[in-house]
Amino acid sequence: MIILDYKDTRPIYEQIVEKFKLLILKGVLMKDEQMPSVRSLAMELSINPNTIQKAYAELERQGYIYTIKGRGNFILDNGALLEKKKEELKERLLGLYREGREFGMKKSDFMDCLNAVKED
């Protein structure tokens, strides 16, 4: 489920956070589904359990998971998170559009680029 890239310059816990966020936003991990235990994931990834705990704490802080004492960590509803992510992507796209306009690109240039993308 989670594959770490040891060549990545980001800390391990950040990589774990990003991988879980992606799994949650894509709907691979569903609302109220239990996360792997800290101990089992640490053993699976061969890393310190404190690293997993730090990643889980960050996921909880960002609103992706919740904790039930003595039971574990669970996935929160991702509907609002997914909408927030889409809004962030739209803002980034608008930023690229504005930057392109500064260098003489036209709206039609962007539309041609988007039309060239094949849908799945």
Side-chain angles (χ1 to χ4, degrees):
M1 183 182 336
I2 301 286
I3 298 172
L4 299 173
D5 180 3
Y6 292 101
K7 294 179 183 173
D8 192 328
T9 58
R10 293 177 301 158
I12 301 280
Y13 87 94
E14 284 183 11
Q15 291 183 49
I16 294 168
V17 167
E18 288 305 312
K19 303 276 175 142
F20 272 118
K21 284 168 60 173
L22 202 62
L23 291 171
I24 293 167
L25 290 173
K26 286 185 172 184
V28 175
L29 298 173
M30 303 300 290
K31 178 184 177 196
D32 296 325
E33 186 175 333
Q34 188 167 9
M35 300 276 288
S37 73
V38 170
R39 184 174 295 161
S40 68
L41 188 56
M43 286 177 56
E44 182 183 324
L45 298 175
S46 299
I47 61 175
N48 190 312
N50 291 334
T51 303
I52 304 297
Q53 190 61 45
K54 187 173 183 180
Y56 281 11
E58 183 62 21
L59 284 165
E60 187 169 10
R61 189 189 69 72
Q62 291 182 22
Y64 285 85
I65 65 173
Y66 63 95
T67 302
I68 298 177
K69 277 237 191 267
R71 301 234 22 245
N73 298 288
F74 298 84
I75 307 297
L76 272 170
D77 183 15
N78 70 352
L81 295 169
L82 189 55
E83 287 306 311
K84 181 180 173 187
K85 185 67 173 178
K86 287 179 182 179
E87 287 302 315
E88 289 172 7
L89 290 171
K90 287 178 186 177
E91 286 299 317
R92 287 175 38 202
L93 187 59
L94 285 172
L96 286 173
Y97 175 74
R98 288 184 198 107
E99 185 178 343
R101 296 283 297 165
E102 290 177 13
F103 292 103
M105 293 180 75
K106 297 180 178 139
K107 185 176 182 178
S108 60
D109 296 327
F110 286 93
M111 294 306 294
D112 291 343
C113 183
L114 288 173
N115 289 330
V117 175
K118 295 186 180 186
E119 300 241 0
D120 294 336

